[in-house]
Amino acid sequence: MKARGWRAWLLSVLAMMVVVGGLTTARVEAGAPFFKMYLMIPNNQPPRMVWGTLAAQQMTKIGIDVVSSYVPWTVIIPRRIKGEGKTHVDGGWDAYLERYYYNSILPIPNTLFHSSTVPPYGTNYYYLEDPVIDKALDDYASALSEAKHMEASNRFAKRWYDTQPMVILFYPEDVVAVNPKLKGFDSTTFNPVFFPRPENWIIEGAGDNATAAFASWAPPEQLIPMNSTGYNQSNIFGPVHDTLLEYENWQTKKLVPALCESYSMSPDGKRWVLKLRQGVKWHSGEEFTARDVKFTWDVILDKRYASIRQAIMQNVFGSPAAYKVTGKYEITVDLPKYTILFRDFVMAALAIMPEHAYKDIKPESLSGHTVSTWLGTYTVKTSEGKEYTARGSIGTGPWIAMGHDPTKKAYKMVKNLNYWKKTSGNVKTFYVVNIQGADAVLSALKVGEIDAHDPMYGVESLASTIDPKWGTVLKFDSFKWQHICFNLRHPVFGTGKETPLGKQDPSRAAEAAAYVRQAISFAMPREQMVKEIVAGAGQPGTVPIPFSAPEYDHNMLKPIPYDLELAKKSMEKAGYKY
């Protein structure tokens, strides 16, 4: 394994692409580049570093001067959240590579691509502000019938396909390696609704008091669910918390009751009455009630807490007046209009937080509090006058936070023996450990330091090096995509104002920007990326809808060809001359 480290593998793949695919680093056209793009490539996934390098090389072939940098997410995230749409040189960003998904199994593009969800209170980091897409997403969210739902989905997909707001490179397959003695590892990770489920893991031969460890590459920035931005966070806070509804398993992807035992919906989809599960206890011993649900929604809607879910919650509820506690275990919701976001996002993706434990923490203090860092302790008083010493987040979930050891880069949890749901595993102590690098994580698996890892390590091209004696290779449909993200306020490929066509005719600036993005899309050798970089573990990409989702129209969404001549023609439509 050490002899074939990922750095050596990266270089060998790049060399192979030059020989086999004819992809070179030299510019095809000798003239000066048309414009400069700063491309940030996350350094936490070796294969992505390869196709990011390849993507940059391909863009130079159509006249774009690409300045690439390999950086951690701690560099990318502040730029995209606080950049206000500014370009890279002004403190924002131009483009970066990302592996992304929706926060629910049902595709909900509204959370990422509706113009109402731009930062700082939303997750439309790309500043996609397209009225045609907005209208399709509004119709998609409000569709009560399956036919209208699919029609709106297709409108969104067609608009995306035609204008390429971002370039979807491919739909990856998640490949992970696990301890051969580990049974019950039956899903990939999918922030924030799928994460390690060690309560159902069985370590063969470990008795009734087993310890398990799961590797996650990047350290979390914070561990407050309403501010979650990635797997590195939900891998840790996920096992501690519960949502109102949850997914039965990765295979069925069916929503089933969790903290909400049942619900009813009026014929027009506006009124919902939620019946909450009785007898559930927070880790502190306090009883879970409807007040906790109201508290969670109130906090997310309150801009003082700066939740990245605020904008989408605002779209769903309008205001806190839309919901009220109508019983100790009942909450009634009157939505301004029906939206699929209520069930599939609010109920299925948002972890519920404890009012009694968090209500006295000031908004400005929450992100640095033990609740978020898992460092140190704090005391919580229950309604019965008892005191509970917490070492991290407090949830109702199957695992209790026991703190963070910065030296060992480990987050510890112990099994919640009072969990409301029966579990089948023998693991009683669980660690999430931060390990950087595919080589390092497989070495840790080999010597028994971990039992499984997050798919973000990108081990698919190293799977053949894994000996079945110490590692079992598992593959999952990821329900995600890899794409080149564009800052759509950039004056060239965002607004188009600085393109030749945009300068000549400002009314066609947006059209010109779309031509540039289409050119970049045509310049991407998607099939080669899948075949040679990820060992065939994926499908070429088109639009941000999972390839295996019912919403993906395979008849309409034909593969985007790799064609440099078409790419140059698109650049010429934007006014550039070779």
Side-chain angles (χ1 to χ4, degrees), residues 9 36 51-52 58 61 92 96 115 154 197 210 284 354 361 363 377 400 403 411 423 434 488 517:
W9 170 80
K36 180 174 288 187
W51 67 70
Q58 291 300 102
K61 294 183 177 183
Y96 68 91
S115 65
N154 286 345
R197 308 265 184 182
S284 63
I361 303 174
T377 63
I400 300 172
Y411 293 82
T423 58
N434 295 134
L488 295 173
R517 298 191 301 270

Side-chain angles (χ1 to χ4, degrees), residues 515-538:
Y515 289 142
V516 174
R517 298 191 301 270
Q518 288 169 346
I520 294 172
S521 185
F522 286 134
M524 295 299 120
R526 291 169 170 83
E527 289 188 6
Q528 186 177 9
M529 289 180 176
V530 172
K531 180 180 178 181
E532 297 178 5
I533 302 178
V534 295

Side-chain angles (χ1 to χ4, degrees), residues 1 440-450 465 467 469-471:
M1 183 63 188
V441 80
L442 291 182
S443 294
L445 179 65
K446 184 176 181 178
V447 299
E449 293 176 352
I450 64 169
T465 70
D467 190 327
K469 294 178 181 178
W470 56 265

Side-chain angles (χ1 to χ4, degrees), residues 16-88:
M16 176 183 65
M17 287 190 291
V18 172
V19 175
V20 178
L23 303 175
T24 68
T25 59
R27 190 184 309 282
V28 173
E29 301 297 333
F34 299 132
F35 61 88
K36 180 174 288 187
M37 172 195 289
Y38 288 85
L39 174 66
M40 294 185 289
I41 303 174
N43 65 359
N44 70 326
Q45 195 181 40
R48 180 161 53 197
M49 295 172 70
V50 178
W51 67 70
T53 302
L54 172 58
Q57 291 174 3
Q58 291 300 102
M59 284 188 270
T60 67
K61 294 183 177 183
I62 57 174
I64 302 172
D65 181 12
V66 181
V67 180
S68 301
S69 59
Y70 303 99
V71 297
W73 280 102
T74 51
V75 171
I76 297 173
I77 290 173
R79 281 181 173 270
R80 74 176 185 180
I81 291 179
K82 300 177 182 178
E84 299 175 344
K86 296 177 182 177
T87 62
H88 188 96

Side-chain angles (χ1 to χ4, degrees), residues 361-382:
I361 303 174
K362 294 181 179 179
E364 63 273 16
S365 301
L366 194 58
S367 62
H369 195 277
T370 301
V371 166
S372 178
T373 65
W374 289 31
L375 293 170
T377 63
Y378 62 104
T379 301
V380 173
K381 291 186 177 181
T382 69

Side-chain angles (χ1 to χ4, degrees), residues 31 106 108 117 225 230 316 319 329 391 411 431 436 444 456 502 517 526 554-555 575:
L106 176 75
I108 305 182
T117 61
V316 172
S319 76
Y329 307 105
R391 294 175 172 81
Y411 293 82
Y431 293 90
Q436 278 73 53
M456 293 302 290
R517 298 191 301 270
R526 291 169 170 83
H554 291 266
N555 292 323

